[in-house]
Amino acid sequence: MTTGTRRRMGVEERRQQLIGVALELFSLRSPDDVSIDEIAAAAGISRPLVYHYFPGKLSLYEAALRRAADELAQRFVEPREGPLGARLLRVMGRFFAFVDDHGPGFSALMRGGPAVGSNRTNAMIDEVRQAAYEQIVTHIGIEDPPARLELVVRSWVSLAESTALIWLEGRKIPRAELELQLVHDFAALAAVSAAYDAEMAAVLGRILRDEPADGPFGELVGRLVGLVPPTVEAAVTDPR
């Protein structure tokens, strides 16, 4: 009969374990409500040992947010294959899966949590937003996006972020509907901008040429046409 022994972790391995434990707890409750004692107990070590690896809760919190930010940024990575609408819908599916699984942690990352005002935390948030922006621009296939396209994409990224934060407060709208609505929001923002700018109109035209009628963008057109009263539709088609 042999007696099992607990394997001693190396410094970096233990740090990563503590970050993972903290992120899991922050995913269940606000970081403000999670104590170092709870983190130590969940990791199976003593409170002083936590402080051996992290000088305080703030440093552990920031390390957990770093991992969360990196994972969240990866949710916007999508192969450039198929229509843009379908790609954006898959991105929104992964984005909201993260939000759903890590609600309090996501809120803490985007709102600052106990590290509000921290330059490092603000930099992490900016990195996620920039990564999302760059990925979407890559999907559109524009190397040097014009000012209006940049405005559309950055506005949409902010809209997705704020929508997710509001949704977390009660999850009153089915997640799948919200994911599709946000893809429609992107098309709507691009369409309004195209109405004011020829360059954006060309970008939108190129996007729509590859969109199937049964795709997310085609569905939006169908929904909007159904909302137009007959008198308005007649005036648009025959302005005389």
Side-chain angles (χ1 to χ4, degrees), residues 5-233:
T5 57
R6 181 178 296 179
R7 183 175 63 85
R8 184 182 180 87
M9 290 187 181
V11 173
E12 185 56 28
E13 187 179 6
R14 177 66 78 182
R15 279 178 56 85
Q16 293 305 316
Q17 182 215 17
L18 287 171
I19 291 171
V21 167
L23 186 57
E24 180 64 27
L25 291 172
F26 294 159
S27 296
L28 301 173
R29 305 203 317 277
S30 168
D32 286 319
D33 299 330
V34 177
S35 68
I36 287 293
D37 288 330
E38 288 180 85
I39 295 171
I45 62 177
S46 66
R47 175 189 175 95
L49 194 54
V50 176
Y51 286 112
H52 174 73
Y53 293 99
F54 294 94
K57 180 179 173 179
L58 179 59
S59 63
L60 177 54
Y61 169 78
E62 288 181 341
L65 288 192
R66 173 75 275 168
R67 182 182 291 184
D70 290 343
E71 183 179 344
L72 185 57
Q74 283 299 311
R75 300 296 174 107
F76 286 88
V77 177
E78 170 74 19
R80 287 183 60 186
E81 300 172 358
L84 179 63
R87 281 183 262 163
L88 292 181
L89 188 57
R90 289 192 292 269
V91 167
M92 284 295 96
R94 290 194 300 272
F95 173 73
F96 269 88
F98 180 92
V99 172
D100 207 359
D101 292 340
H102 304 282
F106 175 81
S107 295
L109 174 63
M110 293 304 174
R111 289 175 171 153
V116 65
S118 163
N119 289 334
R120 287 188 294 273
T121 303
N122 292 338
M124 289 181 216
I125 297 169
D126 289 341
E127 285 174 20
V128 172
R129 291 169 177 157
Q130 182 62 23
Y133 166 77
E134 291 175 359
Q135 282 296 321
I136 301 307
V137 169
T138 297
H139 289 308
I140 297 172
I142 302 292
E143 291 186 4
D144 186 19
R148 287 182 184 272
L149 179 58
E150 180 177 357
L151 180 62
V152 165
V153 176
R154 292 195 185 278
S155 297
W156 184 70
V157 170
S158 284
L159 178 61
E161 174 190 319
S162 58
T163 298
L165 288 171
I166 295 170
W167 179 75
L168 280 172
E169 294 175 2
R171 292 177 167 84
K172 297 176 182 178
I173 300 175
R175 201 181 97 186
E177 288 184 17
L178 207 55
E179 293 165 7
L180 180 59
Q181 181 179 315
L182 278 163
V183 176
H184 289 171
D185 287 335
F186 178 88
L189 287 169
V192 170
S193 184
Y196 285 85
D197 181 76
E199 193 171 16
M200 271 301 299
V203 171
L204 183 61
R206 192 177 69 187
I207 291 172
L208 294 180
R209 277 197 299 271
D210 298 326
E211 292 294 322
D214 60 350
F217 291 169
E219 180 182 346
L220 173 61
V221 172
R223 287 175 180 265
L224 293 177
V225 168
L227 293 175
V228 178
T231 53
V232 175
E233 184 176 3

